[in-house]
Amino acid sequence: MTFRLYNTVLDVTAVLAFVIVAYFVTYSQWLGKSASIILPGSFNQLNTIFLSLIIEAIPFVLIGVLIAGCIQMFITEEHVKRWIPQNKYRAILMGCLVGSVFPACECGIVPIVRRLVAKGVPLHASIGFLLTGPLINPIVILSTYMAFGNDMKMAGLRMGVGFVAALLIALLISTLFKSNQLKHSVSGLYGSETLPQSEVSFMKKLKGMCVHSIDEFFDMGKYLIIGAFVAAFVQTYVQAQSLFLFGEGLMGATVVMMGLAFFLSLCSEADAFIGASFSSLFPSGAVLAFLIYGPMIDLKNTIMLLSVFKSRFVFTLFLSITVIVFVCTITISMVGR
Amino acid sequence: MRFHFYQFLKLLLLAAFAFFLIQLHHTGEIVKLINPKYVLMSQVAAGVIVLLFFVQLGRVWQGNADEHASCAPGCTEDHDHKQSYVKRCVSYLVLLFPLCTGFGLDLTSLDATIAKNKGSLLPQGENAYQEEPSSKPPTLDENKPIPNNNYLTDEEYEQKMGRLNDDVVEMNEDIFASYYHEIEANPHKYKGKTIQMKGFVYKEEGLDSNQLVVARFLITHCVADARVIGWLSESDQAAQFSENTWVEVRGVIDVGKYNGVELPIIEIKEINPIPEPANPYIFPILTKVL
């Protein structure tokens, strides 16, 4: 087949794609018009929150999948072996530290972590990275600082306690799980068949990176969509007050705030302001728990994690994060008193 | 060389997502969803999706042997070559869903129902401290149709904050958040000043029949993190205004108590219904940050 014919075929395909999309847009507008008569007004509110979560997350997810594609194409297992310390504790510390300087948000970090683990980064180091990535970075520190009336105390506590909690969680995970816990066993697919990277041209690698990014985007996208929908549903139909049934004390308030952090699924860059708005209702220890717990795990990224890791692992991780963050913040509140 | 149907479906989805983003930016509806501060980022994202569209185009037609060619070193199987028919259908339907609701349904602005779910704005009981300020705005010529790009220079910001000391405080959208926090923090300092603001009527449980809250949503990042801000207001006409009605009020700042907590209260002198403004949301000022 000639090159020219090939190009023509591509052009036709692109045009065809546009026609189908245009048809789809018109059709869903017509469908929406008829549906809006039946749907309650609150569904429109839900839809607005749902879409805003997605639109807000898309740039971050794109950054995440592009970095993941980059790791896939440009980093080999040998690199990983050379860079990551063999010693478990030092590897955990390194994971947490790298996460602290890496500006990621919790939805963008899942594809990156999956790639890292698949490339042979030990699970405990990756988990440290997963936890501190969204929690500790310049943007989050700045927004926390501002949200609490330009007071460094809350931002400092968020970073400090969060970092310690992340270390503890990663440590706990390292004693519980030895294998990589990925859903598909990829270990056999790596290594042996890997060509020496220099044999593949840079352009080809770049294209490969984009291709991986596309697949990853769709892979993560569907879980992001499900998570965003559930979070929007909770925001529209569940009253925050209904969480108050857990009581008024410090323990109860901390549980409530952690529950809120989980279900609201806010981006870590924005949650400081929401957290601050609760400081009139809750003791600051509970607000701190909200600020630390939300970036580490929430509804949106649990669903994404479930698509990548074995569910038993995700459940254990969820449990360890919950318990450790709870214990850490309660301890701090007791000491601070 | 052959036609890969699933790759073609992905191509369609990429095109639709790109189209959706571009349309939101083109019509300006994007500010109903996210803080304008992040618009540029979202535009770049749209650009990246368009780029990925062209990469994907090449995958629709390729030889069988070529299938893994693009990912030569260490290809994983997670390209979903192996997924079952049903699983694929479900995932494409999930991806299609936000596009359907996005193109099909109109974006609305949040209303008092959401405000209620967010927890109470007014102090409840003793362990709470106040959350009710009022504020002063700059003059009307500042009320540009796009107070969205909420970047102010330091000078502008100082100037606007200076107007807080005028006798009449106008709560314009661009400075709303700053005035709000300032008056909330020092209600006594601003007691007796006349205030003018727009907002929607919000009634929390426990309010008297002559009380209402004139509220706005403050958005930091996207609509999902919206929170309500507003002041307790008192007026004989309060009962006539149902929740979610947009009103323009003129009143005097007073300091009162609600559930034993001191907070600013607006004694309404004049209250008139208005249509919902084009920019219903308040975005925090960015100068102080950068």
Side-chain angles (χ1 to χ4, degrees):
Chain A
M1 182 160 327
T2 63
F3 191 64
R4 220 166 136 189
L5 181 59
Y6 179 68
N7 274 345
T8 318
V9 169
L10 285 193
D11 291 346
V12 171
T13 316
V15 171
L16 184 66
F18 280 123
V19 171
I20 294 179
V21 169
Y23 175 77
F24 167 74
V25 171
T26 327
Y27 181 71
S28 47
Q29 270 160 0
W30 173 82
L31 199 70
K33 235 171 243 159
S34 10
S36 58
I37 303 164
I38 323 161
L39 291 169
S42 58
F43 188 81
N44 271 331
Q45 303 258 314
L46 189 156
N47 183 44
T48 305
I49 298 180
F50 169 56
L51 290 176
S52 100
L53 276 169
I54 294 175
I55 297 292
E56 175 216 17
I58 279 181
F60 295 101
V61 173
L62 275 177
I63 294 172
V65 298
L66 285 173
I67 293 177
C70 211
I71 294 173
Q72 170 66 19
M73 298 311 289
F74 295 101
I75 294 180
T76 63
E77 289 90 287
E78 285 78 52
H79 291 145
V80 171
K81 273 196 196 110
R82 230 179 304 148
W83 293 336
I84 309 272
Q86 290 298 308
N87 181 300
K88 190 171 81 178
Y89 303 103
R90 284 173 58 198
I92 291 176
L93 189 65
M94 183 179 162
C96 289
L97 284 175
V98 172
S100 310
V101 292
F102 191 81
C105 92
E106 62 264 38
C107 25
I109 204 156
V110 178
I112 302 179
V113 166
R114 168 212 222 165
R115 250 337 122 197
L116 286 176
V117 174
K119 282 283 178 187
V121 175
L123 187 68
H124 43 262
S126 313
I127 291 303
F129 178 74
L130 172 81
L131 297 176
T132 53
L135 176 63
I136 307 173
N137 68 51
I139 307 165
V140 174
I141 297 168
L142 190 65
S143 69
T144 314
Y145 171 72
M146 280 161 39
F148 288 87
N150 292 5
D151 182 3
M152 206 54 212
K153 191 177 154 221
M154 205 56 161
L157 278 175
R158 185 181 195 182
M159 282 184 296
V161 179
F163 192 81
V164 172
L167 282 177
L168 291 175
I169 295 161
L171 208 59
L172 181 66
I173 289 296
S174 72
T175 59
L176 294 176
F177 297 95
K178 301 291 171 209
S179 67
N180 70 19
Q181 298 298 314
L182 286 180
K183 236 184 183 168
H184 313 276
S185 135
V186 284
S187 47
L189 286 151
Y190 286 96
S192 52
E193 62 160 324
T194 306
L195 302 167
Q197 296 277 301
S198 51
E199 282 179 23
V200 186
S201 75
F202 180 77
M203 280 316 285
K204 204 145 191 207
K205 276 195 200 168
L206 208 61
K207 196 190 159 209
M209 182 188 130
C210 287
V211 166
H212 276 285
S213 302
I214 294 170
D215 289 337
E216 204 112 36
F217 179 65
F218 284 120
D219 233 26
M220 287 293 125
K222 54 186 187 248
Y223 298 102
L224 170 74
I225 290 167
I226 296 170
F229 189 82
V230 178
F233 185 88
V234 171
Q235 284 211 9
T236 319
Y237 294 111
V238 179
Q239 291 207 3
Q241 268 104 332
S242 59
L243 292 165
F244 279 63
L245 55 96
F246 290 106
E248 306 258 306
L250 177 64
M251 301 270 182
T254 308
V255 172
V256 171
M257 287 305 283
M258 284 168 66
L260 268 181
F262 185 79
F263 285 110
L264 292 182
S265 297
L266 301 169
C267 223
S268 54
E269 280 142 35
D271 65 356
F273 293 90
I274 302 294
S277 73
F278 280 107
S279 41
S280 57
L281 290 167
F282 291 101
S284 53
V287 176
L288 183 65
F290 174 89
L291 294 178
I292 295 175
Y293 191 62
M296 284 188 176
I297 194 142
D298 63 28
L299 189 65
K300 209 167 48 172
N301 93 334
T302 306
I303 293 176
M304 290 169 93
L305 282 171
L306 278 171
S307 74
V308 175
F309 293 106
K310 291 177 186 149
S311 27
R312 203 172 73 90
F313 169 73
V314 177
F315 184 72
T316 317
L317 179 68
F318 168 76
L319 217 62
S320 358
I321 294 176
T322 310
V323 171
I324 291 180
V325 169
F326 183 77
V327 171
C328 284
T329 49
I330 292 285
T331 316
I332 284 292
S333 326
M334 297 293 187
V335 172
R337 208 175 273 169
Chain B
M1 189 164 112
R2 71 182 181 91
F3 181 74
H4 294 257
F5 180 66
Y6 289 114
Q7 302 296 357
F8 184 64
L9 283 184
K10 283 189 190 172
L11 183 76
L12 289 182
L13 282 169
L14 279 175
F17 269 106
F19 187 82
F20 181 46
L21 279 175
I22 292 167
Q23 192 205 29
L24 280 178
H25 286 289
H26 181 72
T27 58
E29 292 226 299
I30 191 85
V31 298
K32 287 189 180 170
L33 296 176
I34 58 172
N35 187 328
K37 179 166 78 147
Y38 295 99
V39 162
L40 181 67
M41 212 159 148
S42 170
Q43 281 167 344
V44 173
V48 172
I49 295 182
V50 171
L51 183 84
L52 293 181
F53 171 84
F54 287 108
V55 175
Q56 180 67 19
L57 193 56
R59 293 173 82 197
V60 176
W61 296 93
Q62 58 186 4
N64 283 332
D66 245 12
E67 212 156 279
H68 285 244
S70 48
C71 42
C75 178
T76 49
E77 86 307 345
D78 55 10
H79 290 246
D80 74 13
H81 304 301
K82 285 179 192 160
Q83 278 183 9
S84 74
Y85 178 71
V86 177
K87 241 182 158 176
R88 278 187 192 197
C89 277
V90 170
S91 46
Y92 288 126
L93 283 178
V94 168
L95 289 163
L96 209 57
F97 179 69
L99 292 168
C100 284
T101 63
F103 286 122
L105 301 173
D106 290 331
L107 298 174
T108 53
S109 38
L110 303 183
D111 66 19
T113 349
I114 304 290
K116 290 219 166 77
N117 290 347
K118 297 265 177 182
S120 61
L121 168 72
L122 300 171
Q124 310 285 319
E126 329 165 318
N127 63 341
Y129 71 85
Q130 59 81 21
E131 265 250 41
E132 293 306 296
S134 70
S135 69
K136 274 187 185 183
T139 51
L140 266 176
D141 61 292
E142 297 288 344
N143 207 356
K144 293 172 207 140
I146 27 152
N148 304 323
N149 222 355
N150 220 348
Y151 286 99
L152 294 180
T153 62
D154 281 345
E155 273 166 42
E156 277 174 319
Y157 179 75
E158 289 306 324
Q159 192 194 350
K160 281 179 202 248
M161 287 312 278
R163 292 210 192 111
L164 248 180
N165 298 319
D166 296 354
D167 289 336
V168 179
V169 177
E170 276 179 67
M171 297 283 285
N172 280 349
E173 277 79 3
D174 53 353
I175 196 81
F176 196 110
S178 306
Y179 282 3
Y180 178 87
H181 292 298
E182 170 62 19
I183 296 176
E184 181 185 272
N186 311 304
H188 284 287
K189 192 173 156 194
Y190 299 98
K191 190 175 170 178
K193 284 189 192 292
T194 300
I195 183 164
Q196 223 170 305
M197 69 181 284
K198 292 175 194 154
F200 64 88
V201 175
Y202 171 55
K203 292 183 177 174
E204 221 164 70
E205 245 172 74
L207 289 184
D208 289 341
S209 62
N210 69 334
Q211 292 176 324
L212 55 80
V213 174
V214 183
R216 296 297 284 256
F217 277 104
L218 178 69
I219 295 188
T220 313
H221 200 155
C222 76
V223 170
D225 61 48
R227 69 187 176 96
V228 208
I229 55 175
W231 290 293
L232 185 62
S233 311
E234 291 180 346
S235 164
D236 300 339
Q237 294 163 277
Q240 296 166 18
F241 290 89
S242 59
E243 221 166 32
N244 286 330
T245 320
W246 278 85
V247 291
E248 182 162 20
V249 300
R250 199 182 161 84
V252 176
I253 302 173
D254 195 5
V255 181
K257 282 198 169 182
Y258 187 81
N259 281 346
V261 179
E262 205 169 70
L263 46 73
I265 291 182
I266 302 181
E267 299 297 338
I268 295 179
K269 302 283 178 231
E270 228 186 300
I271 175 167
N272 294 307
I274 52 164
E276 180 178 323
N279 46 317
Y281 302 128
I282 301 292
F283 303 101
I285 293 257
L286 301 168
T287 30
K288 274 167 110 181
V289 196
L290 302 169

